[in-house]
Amino acid sequence: MSITEPAYQQCVMPGCAATFALDDVIFRCRQCGALLDVRYDWNRVEVPSSLRAFDTRSTAVGHDPESRANASGVWRFRELLPFAPLEDLVTIGEGKTVLQQADQLAAQIGVDAGRLHLQYEGLNPSGSFKDNGMAAAFTQARRLDRRRVACASTGNTSASMALYAGVTTTKSGRPMEGIVFVGGGKIAYGKLAQALDYGARTVQIKGDFDDCMRLVQQSADRINLYLMNSVNPFRLEGQKTIMYRVLEGLGWEVPDWIVVPGGNLGNSSAFGKAFAELKELGLVDRIPRLAIINAVGANTLYQLFNDRGVRFDCKCKGQKAVADHYRHMAEEGITAKTVASAIEIGRPVNLSKALRSLKMMDGVVRQVSDEAILDAKALIGRYGFGCEPASAASIAGLQVLLREKTISPSDRVVCVLTGHALKDPGVTVAYHTGDRLPAAANANPPITANADIEEIVALLEG
Ligand SMILES: *Cc1c(COP(=O)(O)O)cnc(C)c1O
Ligand SMILES: [Zn+2]
């Protein structure tokens, strides 16, 4: 079809590149089945000539649409995701994150002072980066006047979607309804608590995340639910802004490395698109390198990229290798298993887009053990930026990359801390109080004492 709007959707496969209208509710290319991007005709959008133009917006106050958009860490960059008019933008003040320079942590893991930064996404309204994507996806749901939204989730997607569904009404003023598919027994309590409290209809499936993902896509087709997983390309538009805020935190300078945990690979996909577009628009002069970190027990991308040599370009070879790998997993009964539940995913839906990001950002993929994740998590917590297990994969991965000298101590590195420490307190308490032998490297077990002042003084002075 011919596209006349400045924003539209396009198949990611270079050999196909079919285009679809912005408001077509479609998550796979009708020609070839690949994922879709939201695309813009930048000649028809007013984009600032320098990123510094965004500097003045972050202190916005007021309740008119423009002030509200400026107060959102997503929508104050609206010219870089221009698919909806100002009055349609959905926001609850997501993305008010501040890039943190982490010198104490840097000293512990062997990074030079001033070179390690943490992008702490736990500060979002529902406590994870997912809110960046939901602000954008709910904006599109609102434009389409959709009432029922659904997702499959390891936890944070459902928490975030439930929150936005709770506060958003449709264009015609009706409350939205959130429907969440979670795997039986697989969800951290902090996250399940949120989905229930925010009023989502929560369906616990007797299966794992990959089952939930398949079933929610089938349900969406059958009973007209609007899908809010990261196959929804509008989600990824919102998640691009995480990178804009990283640049903002560095005075608009480009870091050397972005390190991010990899689950469904939405973030990695969004980050590559963000930088490719900034480069195309002449708003940055270079692109950082990307490191995607898998857990050993959920390492599909690691195996495909490093062991089977799958790349974005070699379409046929790549698709066969991916199919072979999934068949191998099914035959051997291999399912994802890691303490980092947010990345416990065997069949990442954004695989092709993540491969494209790895190509555009000269990226690498590494895997880290659960033990390394938990030790890194305690170290991050020790210096004040507590996070959930999946987030800590970024620091554990950085440690691997430093050891193998892929990253040098003087490189400027940004690790994305994807979710808040209080999402999964059970894992944290078990780590610090557990009876693991030898004791966990960074354990900080509580001391017990009688209710006796002399004993307590003796303990604390000792
Ligand atoms: C969703 C999530 C991830 C995985 O991100 P993807 O974009 O799916 O790779 C990692 N950490 C946390 C805390 C998450 O909620
Ligand atoms: Zn296609």
Side-chain angles (χ1 to χ4, degrees):
M1 68 169 296
S2 74
I3 298 294
T4 53
E5 296 166 86
Y8 54 97
Q9 302 184 79
Q10 183 167 40
C11 171
V12 297
M13 283 303 157
C16 172
T19 56
F20 304 93
L22 185 69
D23 292 349
D24 204 339
V25 179
I26 173 182
F27 299 109
R28 303 264 173 195
C29 173
R30 281 198 193 96
Q31 311 281 338
C32 76
L35 297 170
L36 302 175
D37 283 318
V38 181
R39 289 267 176 218
Y40 310 100
D41 177 355
W42 294 111
N43 295 321
R44 297 173 56 194
V45 180
E46 243 174 80
V47 182
S49 58
S50 157
L51 288 170
R52 295 202 171 278
F54 293 110
D55 272 341
T56 52
R57 284 183 175 166
S58 50
T59 53
V61 286
H63 291 285
D64 59 290
E66 187 166 358
S67 304
R68 279 171 54 81
N70 287 349
S72 158
V74 170
W75 297 119
R76 70 194 153 79
F77 300 102
R78 56 191 171 274
E79 288 86 349
L80 299 172
L81 51 155
F83 67 86
L86 197 56
E87 55 280 9
D88 278 351
L89 304 181
V90 171
T91 175
I92 55 171
E94 57 287 321
K96 293 193 193 220
T97 59
V98 184
L99 189 72
Q100 309 281 348
Q101 185 171 317
D103 285 348
Q104 287 169 296
L105 180 60
Q108 286 293 317
I109 64 173
V111 176
D112 293 351
R115 307 305 281 176
L116 175 61
H117 290 80
L118 303 176
Q119 175 63 15
Y120 185 40
E121 290 292 318
L123 286 180
N124 273 288
S126 82
S128 84
F129 76 83
K130 299 293 196 304
D131 295 347
N132 296 283
M134 287 301 165
F138 271 80
T139 294
Q140 180 64 3
R142 197 153 194 282
R143 292 188 64 244
L144 298 167
D145 205 19
R146 298 300 289 259
R147 192 177 68 81
R148 302 173 89 192
V149 292
C151 68
S153 180
T154 62
N156 281 331
T157 302
S158 54
S160 180
M161 192 195 79
L163 171 53
Y164 277 83
V167 297
T168 312
T169 51
T170 64
K171 266 199 156 163
S172 43
R174 293 190 301 166
M176 283 201 164
E177 184 187 359
I179 299 167
V180 162
F181 285 39
V182 294
K186 286 273 185 173
I187 180 167
Y189 254 39
K191 307 175 187 183
L192 180 59
Q194 287 179 292
L196 299 175
D197 213 36
Y198 301 146
R201 283 175 83 178
T202 304
V203 188
Q204 278 190 306
I205 308 278
K206 293 179 184 133
D208 64 9
F209 174 81
D210 297 310
D211 296 321
C212 293
M213 192 66 233
R214 178 172 47 79
L215 289 162
V216 77
Q217 299 199 38
Q218 289 169 352
S219 310
D221 292 341
R222 297 264 293 265
I223 56 173
N224 207 23
L225 308 174
Y226 188 60
L227 199 59
M228 287 298 197
N229 278 99
S230 53
V231 279
N232 182 323
F234 294 90
R235 277 264 313 270
L236 303 192
E237 290 306 288
Q239 289 169 217
K240 290 191 308 192
T241 65
I242 299 169
M243 290 299 105
Y244 307 152
R245 297 196 300 274
V246 164
L247 294 178
E248 182 180 49
L250 296 173
W252 305 110
E253 283 178 23
V254 178
D256 298 305
W257 284 92
I258 303 290
V259 187
V260 64
N264 245 335
L265 304 174
N267 264 342
S268 350
S269 301
F271 298 173
K273 186 170 188 282
F275 279 107
E277 289 172 349
L278 290 178
K279 188 90 199 309
E280 182 190 340
L281 289 165
L283 293 171
V284 294
D285 51 7
R286 63 187 186 90
I287 288 179
R289 294 188 69 187
L290 176 68
I292 306 178
I293 314 300
N294 272 170
V296 167
N299 65 352
T300 299
L301 180 68
Y302 176 88
Q303 292 206 11
L304 290 174
F305 191 76
N306 294 318
D307 299 344
R308 292 187 187 251
V310 174
R311 294 293 181 273
F312 182 61
D313 274 341
C314 6
K315 199 174 154 198
C316 303
K317 177 171 167 267
Q319 276 176 358
K320 182 173 180 310
V322 174
D324 285 351
H325 186 69
Y326 287 158
R327 192 173 331 108
H328 164 78
M329 283 174 68
E331 280 165 9
E332 303 290 315
I334 300 170
T335 52
K337 191 141 188 48
T338 166
V339 69
S341 55
I343 53 174
E344 190 176 53
I345 291 167
R347 294 176 176 233
V349 295
N350 288 297
L351 180 64
S352 55
K353 288 182 175 177
L355 291 168
R356 183 177 62 177
S357 292
L358 286 164
K359 181 179 175 211
M360 292 187 304
M361 298 179 74
D362 188 15
V364 299
V365 183
R366 294 294 181 268
Q367 60 176 350
V368 291
S369 68
D370 281 6
E371 189 180 357
I373 287 174
L374 292 177
D375 289 342
K377 188 178 100 57
L379 211 54
I380 297 162
R382 168 70 185 77
Y383 297 107
F385 301 110
C387 61
E388 64 171 281
S391 316
S394 60
I395 291 291
L398 171 58
Q399 291 178 292
V400 170
L401 291 160
L402 286 164
R403 268 200 300 277
E404 67 184 41
K405 297 187 165 33
T406 304
I407 294 185
S408 91
S410 61
D411 284 346
R412 193 185 239 182
V413 181
V414 175
C415 290
V416 182
L417 297 186
T418 45
H420 201 282
L422 297 178
K423 288 285 191 173
D424 199 352
V427 168
T428 306
V429 174
Y431 177 87
H432 289 293
T433 62
D435 47 14
R436 200 168 105 190
L437 282 174
N442 301 321
N444 176 31
I447 318 162
T448 48
N450 290 308
D452 174 77
I453 185 63
E454 297 309 324
E455 185 179 330
I456 291 168
V457 168
L459 250 175
L460 294 179
E461 289 287 302

